[in-house]
Amino acid sequence: MLVVLKKDYEEVSREAARMVAGAVRAKPDIVLGLATGGTPLGLYKELVALHRADALDFSCVTSFNLDEYLGLAHAHPQSFHCFMEENFFSQVNLPRERAHIPDGTIRGDYDAYCERYEQSIKSAGGIDLQILGIGRNGHIGFNEPTSSLASRTRLKALSRETVEDNRHVFSSESEMPKCAITMGIGTILESRRVLLLASGRSKAAAVAKAIEGPITSSVSASALQMHPDVTFIIDEEAAYSLTQRDYYRHVLEMTQLFMPERLS
Ligand code: PGA
């Protein structure tokens, strides 16, 4: 596990974009796992800038988003379909037919739909690089506390904390989603490489539990301790509760010296 400590949100976004751009250049037909939320916004801005100024090419890239709210039309301004369209897909040359987002408008046999989403990830060759944020409650995707660490893509009830975090962006109680379709923790752990981004003091407790706490279904992100290639890119505020910051800096220096490819 690599912990990259950065000063602030801008530095986190730039470093994440540098790594994602490096991965896309190294493997133009890469399969990316994408996340939504406030955290990856800066990363998408940087990638769009690299696409425009530096010809970063997404024309052969395939993507799978982590999750989507159940019951929101694609055009709803708070849907993750809308988020991705606005902040990324409309601004780069990633072909829409290769950009997958769970469909929150489905009705009926959710298990069959989720199984198909899993199958399409497999058919694409599996996810090479998964981008993650982290919730205040330690969730990754919408794998809320007590999610099975072996879970797959499925319908998931949102926790009270997540519903509260969302309250300000929905105009009415009835509009607020109570469930989502999300990749599972088992799905995420199968991606070849994981980048988790975190910024701000509100994430400090979750980040510390994920990196230094016990592996537990109470903190979904702690499952990443079992992944062989995960990098946390976090700012000073999000790193606030970590007890071994000096050691992480030392590990990073040694990695730069002996295994620079891990950071490219
Ligand atoms: P945020 O959400 O980036 O909007 O803070 C992260 C998450 O809940 O996974």
Side-chain angles (χ1 to χ4, degrees), residues 171-203:
S171 50
S172 70
E173 185 73 28
S174 61
E175 207 191 28
M176 272 172 43
K178 310 288 187 300
C179 291
I181 292 173
T182 182
M183 278 187 208
I185 299 172
T187 321
I188 292 168
L189 289 177
E190 275 174 14
S191 48
R192 295 182 185 91
R193 184 179 175 198
V194 176
L195 289 187
L196 186 147
L197 282 47
S199 168
R201 186 69 68 93
S202 67
K203 302 293 175 71

Side-chain angles (χ1 to χ4, degrees), residues 34-79:
L34 298 178
T36 49
T39 309
L41 263 181
L43 162 64
Y44 292 130
K45 275 205 183 80
E46 295 285 338
L47 288 175
V48 168
L50 287 170
H51 170 67
R52 290 188 182 144
D54 227 3
L56 182 61
D57 182 16
F58 294 91
S59 64
C60 298
V61 171
T62 299
S63 69
F64 289 90
N65 266 75
L66 278 168
D67 46 17
E68 176 59 285
Y69 292 119
L70 189 73
L72 287 198
H74 296 180
H76 190 288
Q78 298 308 327
S79 77

Side-chain angles (χ1 to χ4, degrees), residues 36-40 133-136 139-142 203:
T36 49
T39 309
I134 184 171
R136 288 191 301 132
H139 74 196
I140 47 177
F142 274 131
K203 302 293 175 71

